[in-house]
Amino acid sequence: MPRVSEEHLERRRQQILDAAQLCFARKGFHETSMQDIFSESGLSAGAVYRYFKSKDDIIAALATEATVEVRTAMTNALRSDPLPTPAQLIQVIAEHVVERSGPDGPVRLAPQAWALALIDPKAAEYVKDGVRAMRDRWHEYVERMVEVGWLPPDTDIRAVATATVGLVPGFMLQHLIIGDVDPETLARGVQTLLPFGQPTAHSVDT
Amino acid sequence: MPRVSEEHLERRRQQILDAAQLCFARKGFHETSMQDIFSESGLSAGAVYRYFKSKDDIIAALATEATVEVRTAMTNALRSDPLPTPAQLIQVIAEHVVERSGPDGPVRLAPQAWALALIDPKAAEYVKDGVRAMRDRWHEYVERMVEVGWLPPDTDIRAVATATVGLVPGFMLQHLIIGDVDPETLARGVQTLLPFGQPTAHSVDT
Amino acid sequence: MPRVSEEHLERRRQQILDAAQLCFARKGFHETSMQDIFSESGLSAGAVYRYFKSKDDIIAALATEATVEVRTAMTNALRSDPLPTPAQLIQVIAEHVVERSGPDGPVRLAPQAWALALIDPKAAEYVKDGVRAMRDRWHEYVERMVEVGWLPPDTDIRAVATATVGLVPGFMLQHLIIGDVDPETLARGVQTLLPFGQPTAHSVDT
Amino acid sequence: MPRVSEEHLERRRQQILDAAQLCFARKGFHETSMQDIFSESGLSAGAVYRYFKSKDDIIAALATEATVEVRTAMTNALRSDPLPTPAQLIQVIAEHVVERSGPDGPVRLAPQAWALALIDPKAAEYVKDGVRAMRDRWHEYVERMVEVGWLPPDTDIRAVATATVGLVPGFMLQHLIIGDVDPETLARGVQTLLPFGQPTAHSVDT
DNA sequence: CATGAATGAGATTTCATTCAT
DNA sequence: AATGAATGAAATCTCATTCAT
């Protein structure tokens, strides 16, 4: 079936990634055998290995993508005008997370990628990039918080970004592992702590 | 009626767990072979299997313990008098995390346990307990924040706990994966966001 | 009725054999994959399989050729007039061997063909032919040795040919595997043992 | 079955080597699968891999041994008193070769080892050692030939050893591949060429 | 005539676990 | 109680070959 279109090749590649994502989300990187991926994709061993050099290659491709959409959602949200409050921002992100957290959802790969990064130096590279990218978004957001006067001009922006970056994995873990949290609750909690954009903010505190 | 003392048995058991923890911290649950544990512990296969029914049993024992000390540290801190500010509290916890995050440290097991929980229902049970226990501590702390007037009486305590619980895994991931954060920075960020116990709190906001 | 010329077909065939010979000389029959041959020849799988039914076919074609040139050299030398001494003959052959023993040289296929012949009955056929052809040359040479009076008339020609035939593989193995022998040394050794054509021959022996 | 005797371990090791030798002699290194060795030895995969790190390890162990007995036979023969004639010596060796050349005989591994040495640098090491050891024996023999006056005092011993060393592989190849030669014929041929210890030696030549 | 994507059997090796000693 | 030899299923990956285009 040679001399196929570029598009055909890309479709095959995606077919494999889709199958692998389902398998990984269900069984994890290690417990998923290549045979699982062959079966799920409907392709033969040789076919899969034509598109990916190794299982690690497939994992790398997916682990890199796992949180891309969530980050994109965050980027869009934080750049909207007027600046969303922290509660609004986190709610948008949390909703994206929930949407992609079903039994087969790509978000389930994120904790596995974190675990992998502690073990495998190759994986550490790209997982590090992902986490850093997330923190960069928060950094940008905190800058804008300063701009609009929600935080003082002398704010240590990096320090604040470091603190806030935990909101997303914190929600992911609670959602994926315990499963009893929802974006609204999270947003309400954040609004209570960071009552920007509300007249009653921290009134007790004064 | 055993020939050896109860104490001897307990010591052997701990010997195995210590060895396994080092191995797991270095290579992860899956990449660590039982042989690795035999070698590290200096015991034979038969000996290890006398104390633990299976590899999963060892993982369960360790994954349960992984964050126990960090939680204890948190419990102690939040019950001290006067109530620590969020920044003080998180700094104490983060310092405990850092201390236990060396190349062999038990904290490295936590992300692996999270990943495992998504895959293995048995593991999900005890990991869930661990995460819930952490959230319960935050719940208790938020209650006290209300008591001392840092948050309004009608605060949705559960929602705020849900939000704050991410601070610790957020820091752990940044520390373990990227490695460029420290407790002081985190505390400063938290102090900026939640400026309790400081006269200048959110003054920009009014 | 082919669309392309006979010459084109032959050229393609040779192109494949040339590529395969390089691969086989470098990596051996088994370690060379068909993909290696595709790459080296610049042809596609389909193209190669149009000219050769199987990998074994290519091996057969090359293993047959491997020592043809060396045998031709021997034939020419032994038929020259006057009859070369054994030392002269072996030196000519050894020089041909050395010339064809570089990293990619066809002589490197010979030991592989011998090994293959012990395993594969098909290969045994043509390798047997090659070895027999070599022995026939020696047979012819020994006949001429008798003719010129270097060996007695009642010489068991076949027995002598059997003995001498080892000189070439013996040199090949030492040259290919150890690499510290040269045609001159070999010739000197032969001249010492079989001092024909020299006045000092076996003077110790008389 | 632990805490077994040293002897038991050695027996197991030999059991594996014996099985592997049969397999390799019959099918060659590559065509023999590890499964073949498991079956032939009656051991499980795990058992075999306890004693040998890899298939290459087994090959190395056997390829090293393949010609040891033949070399020992040669050593014994050449050191006997009085010095055997070349014909006597080669006949003894050839008989040893024939005895060990049956369908399962270890001598069948020698050509395979030669072929392997051209491809695999690891194998080249030990095969080189084997070939060199063989040449050293011939070197020793040629020295003694000089001592007893069969060759002149100014003989280039190394050159002569280089020439004679081919007698054994030459016979092996003819015997293994064509199968129509026998030690007596070979000895007769050598006697004709190197007529030491006989009154009629090279009489034609004078 | 030529392409090269696809096949799928089969190769080597590892590993958790058992149990005779 | 302790040993460690043995098991054998399963994992990843390769490769000669085919055939639709």
Side-chain angles (χ1 to χ4, degrees):
Chain A
M1 204 174 310
R3 250 184 209 155
V4 295
S5 62
E6 198 63 36
E7 178 203 13
H8 170 87
L9 296 178
E10 188 47 45
R11 205 164 36 210
R12 272 272 186 274
R13 206 185 133 87
Q14 198 56 49
Q15 177 181 357
I16 294 164
L17 287 178
D18 289 347
Q21 183 188 93
L22 297 185
C23 293
F24 289 155
R26 287 195 281 248
K27 304 180 63 177
F29 295 145
H30 290 305
E31 298 298 315
T32 295
S33 70
M34 289 305 290
Q35 189 54 58
D36 289 335
I37 297 177
F38 306 152
S39 303
E40 182 70 38
S41 67
L43 292 171
S44 68
V48 170
Y49 274 90
R50 167 166 288 274
Y51 293 89
F52 293 92
K53 205 165 88 282
S54 67
K55 186 181 178 181
D56 279 353
D57 251 36
I58 302 181
I59 292 175
L62 283 171
T64 307
E65 286 182 13
T67 55
V68 150
E69 292 184 335
V70 171
R71 284 206 306 275
T72 306
M74 179 168 178
T75 306
N76 292 337
L78 76 87
R79 289 179 185 169
S80 64
D81 195 51
L83 186 67
T85 65
Q88 288 168 334
L89 176 60
I90 195 69
Q91 180 162 354
V92 167
I93 300 170
E95 275 162 0
H96 270 265
V97 166
V98 169
E99 272 168 33
R100 287 162 180 73
S101 294
D104 294 343
V107 163
R108 296 184 79 87
L109 301 195
Q112 298 184 45
W114 300 335
L116 187 62
L118 299 192
I119 277 4
D120 173 1
K122 289 257 173 57
E125 296 286 321
Y126 53 77
V127 174
K128 207 181 281 198
D129 289 345
V131 176
R132 247 197 291 247
M134 193 57 147
R135 192 170 62 186
D136 290 345
R137 296 298 174 287
W138 281 103
H139 198 278
E140 185 178 341
Y141 178 66
V142 177
E143 281 176 334
R144 297 204 55 196
M145 286 177 83
V146 174
E147 282 170 25
V148 302
W150 286 347
L151 292 177
D154 64 345
T155 292
D156 181 341
I157 292 171
R158 187 164 172 274
V160 175
T162 298
T164 51
V165 90
L167 290 172
V168 178
F171 177 75
M172 280 170 56
L173 290 174
Q174 291 178 78
H175 178 62
L176 291 173
I177 295 176
I178 315 193
D180 62 353
V181 293
D182 57 88
E184 290 73 26
T185 303
L186 177 67
R188 203 173 333 120
V190 171
Q191 184 61 46
T192 303
L193 291 168
L194 308 172
F196 307 113
Q198 300 277 343
T200 57
H202 279 244
S203 56
V204 193
D205 192 38
T206 52
Chain B
M1 189 76 49
R3 302 255 186 85
V4 298
S5 65
E6 200 62 36
E7 181 202 11
H8 172 83
L9 295 177
E10 187 47 43
R11 207 164 35 210
R12 274 270 189 275
R13 211 185 128 86
Q14 197 56 47
Q15 178 181 358
I16 294 163
L17 288 178
D18 289 348
Q21 183 187 94
L22 297 185
C23 294
F24 289 155
R26 289 194 279 248
K27 305 178 64 178
F29 295 145
H30 193 87
E31 298 295 315
T32 295
S33 69
M34 288 305 287
Q35 187 55 56
D36 289 334
I37 297 176
F38 305 153
S39 304
E40 182 70 38
S41 67
L43 292 173
S44 69
V48 170
Y49 272 88
R50 172 163 294 274
Y51 294 91
F52 292 93
K53 205 165 90 287
S54 68
K55 186 182 180 182
D56 280 353
D57 253 36
I58 302 180
I59 292 174
L62 283 170
T64 307
E65 285 181 15
T67 54
V68 151
E69 292 185 333
V70 171
R71 283 205 305 277
T72 304
M74 179 167 180
T75 305
N76 290 337
L78 76 86
R79 289 181 185 168
S80 65
D81 194 51
L83 186 67
T85 64
Q88 288 167 335
L89 177 60
I90 195 70
Q91 180 161 355
V92 168
I93 300 171
E95 276 164 358
H96 270 264
V97 166
V98 169
E99 274 167 31
R100 288 161 180 73
S101 294
D104 294 345
V107 163
R108 296 183 81 87
L109 302 196
Q112 297 184 44
W114 301 336
L116 187 62
L118 300 191
I119 277 4
D120 174 0
K122 289 255 172 59
E125 296 287 321
Y126 54 77
V127 174
K128 204 181 282 196
D129 289 346
V131 176
R132 246 196 293 246
M134 194 58 149
R135 191 168 64 186
D136 289 346
R137 295 298 173 288
W138 282 103
H139 198 277
E140 186 180 339
Y141 178 68
V142 176
E143 279 176 336
R144 296 205 57 198
M145 288 177 82
V146 173
E147 281 170 25
V148 302
W150 286 347
L151 292 177
D154 64 343
T155 292
D156 181 340
I157 292 170
R158 186 166 172 276
V160 175
T162 298
T164 53
V165 90
L167 289 172
V168 178
F171 177 75
M172 280 171 56
L173 290 174
Q174 290 178 80
H175 178 61
L176 291 174
I177 295 177
I178 314 193
D180 62 354
V181 291
D182 57 89
E184 290 73 28
T185 304
L186 177 66
R188 204 175 330 123
V190 171
Q191 183 64 46
T192 305
L193 290 168
L194 309 172
F196 307 114
Q198 302 273 345
T200 57
H202 281 242
S203 57
V204 194
D205 192 39
T206 51
Chain C
M1 191 72 54
R3 302 254 187 81
V4 297
S5 66
E6 200 61 37
E7 179 202 14
H8 172 83
L9 295 178
E10 188 47 44
R11 207 165 35 209
R12 273 272 189 273
R13 210 185 129 86
Q14 197 56 48
Q15 177 180 359
I16 293 163
L17 288 176
D18 289 346
Q21 183 188 94
L22 296 185
C23 294
F24 289 155
R26 288 194 281 248
K27 304 179 63 177
F29 294 146
H30 193 86
E31 299 294 314
T32 295
S33 69
M34 289 303 289
Q35 187 54 56
D36 289 335
I37 298 177
F38 305 152
S39 304
E40 183 70 39
S41 67
L43 292 172
S44 68
V48 170
Y49 272 88
R50 172 163 295 275
Y51 293 92
F52 293 92
K53 205 167 89 286
S54 68
K55 185 182 180 182
D56 281 352
D57 254 36
I58 302 180
I59 292 173
L62 283 170
T64 307
E65 287 182 13
T67 54
V68 150
E69 291 184 336
V70 172
R71 283 206 306 276
T72 305
M74 180 169 179
T75 305
N76 291 338
L78 77 86
R79 288 181 185 167
S80 65
D81 195 51
L83 186 66
T85 65
Q88 290 168 333
L89 176 59
I90 196 70
Q91 181 162 355
V92 167
I93 301 170
E95 276 163 359
H96 270 265
V97 166
V98 169
E99 274 168 31
R100 288 162 179 73
S101 295
D104 295 343
V107 163
R108 297 182 80 88
L109 302 196
Q112 297 184 45
W114 301 335
L116 187 62
L118 300 192
I119 277 5
D120 173 0
K122 290 255 172 59
E125 296 287 321
Y126 55 76
V127 174
K128 207 181 281 197
D129 289 347
V131 176
R132 247 197 292 248
M134 194 58 146
R135 192 169 63 187
D136 289 348
R137 294 299 173 285
W138 282 103
H139 198 276
E140 186 178 341
Y141 178 67
V142 177
E143 280 176 336
R144 297 205 55 197
M145 285 177 84
V146 173
E147 282 170 23
V148 301
W150 286 346
L151 291 178
D154 63 345
T155 292
D156 181 341
I157 293 171
R158 188 165 170 277
V160 176
T162 298
T164 52
V165 90
L167 289 172
V168 179
F171 177 75
M172 279 171 56
L173 290 175
Q174 290 179 81
H175 178 63
L176 292 174
I177 295 175
I178 314 195
D180 62 354
V181 293
D182 56 89
E184 290 72 26
T185 304
L186 177 67
R188 202 173 332 121
V190 170
Q191 184 62 47
T192 304
L193 290 168
L194 308 172
F196 306 114
Q198 302 275 343
T200 57
H202 280 242
S203 56
V204 194
D205 192 39
T206 50
Chain D
M1 205 175 310
R3 252 186 207 152
V4 296
S5 62
E6 199 61 38
E7 179 202 11
H8 170 87
L9 296 177
E10 188 46 47
R11 206 163 36 210
R12 272 274 187 273
R13 206 185 134 86
Q14 199 55 48
Q15 178 180 357
I16 294 163
L17 287 177
D18 290 348
Q21 183 188 92
L22 297 185
C23 293
F24 289 155
R26 288 195 281 249
K27 305 178 64 176
F29 295 145
H30 290 306
E31 299 297 315
T32 295
S33 70
M34 288 306 290
Q35 189 55 57
D36 290 336
I37 297 177
F38 305 151
S39 304
E40 182 70 37
S41 67
L43 291 172
S44 67
V48 170
Y49 273 90
R50 166 168 289 272
Y51 293 90
F52 293 92
K53 206 166 86 286
S54 67
K55 186 181 180 182
D56 280 353
D57 251 37
I58 302 180
I59 292 174
L62 284 170
T64 307
E65 287 181 13
T67 54
V68 151
E69 291 185 334
V70 171
R71 284 206 306 275
T72 305
M74 178 168 180
T75 305
N76 291 336
L78 76 87
R79 290 180 184 168
S80 65
D81 193 53
L83 187 67
T85 64
Q88 288 167 334
L89 177 59
I90 196 69
Q91 181 162 356
V92 168
I93 300 170
E95 277 164 358
H96 270 264
V97 166
V98 169
E99 274 167 31
R100 288 162 180 72
S101 296
D104 295 344
V107 164
R108 298 183 80 87
L109 302 196
Q112 296 184 45
W114 300 334
L116 187 62
L118 300 192
I119 277 6
D120 173 1
K122 289 256 172 58
E125 296 285 321
Y126 54 77
V127 174
K128 205 182 282 196
D129 289 345
V131 176
R132 248 196 291 245
M134 194 59 148
R135 192 169 62 185
D136 289 346
R137 296 297 174 287
W138 282 103
H139 198 277
E140 186 180 340
Y141 178 67
V142 177
E143 279 176 336
R144 297 206 54 196
M145 288 177 81
V146 174
E147 282 170 25
V148 301
W150 287 346
L151 292 176
D154 64 343
T155 293
D156 181 341
I157 293 171
R158 187 163 173 277
V160 176
T162 298
T164 52
V165 90
L167 289 172
V168 179
F171 177 75
M172 279 172 54
L173 289 174
Q174 289 177 81
H175 177 62
L176 292 173
I177 295 176
I178 315 193
D180 61 354
V181 293
D182 55 89
E184 291 73 26
T185 305
L186 176 66
R188 204 174 330 122
V190 171
Q191 185 62 47
T192 303
L193 290 168
L194 307 172
F196 306 114
Q198 301 276 342
T200 58
H202 279 242
S203 56
V204 195
D205 193 36
T206 53

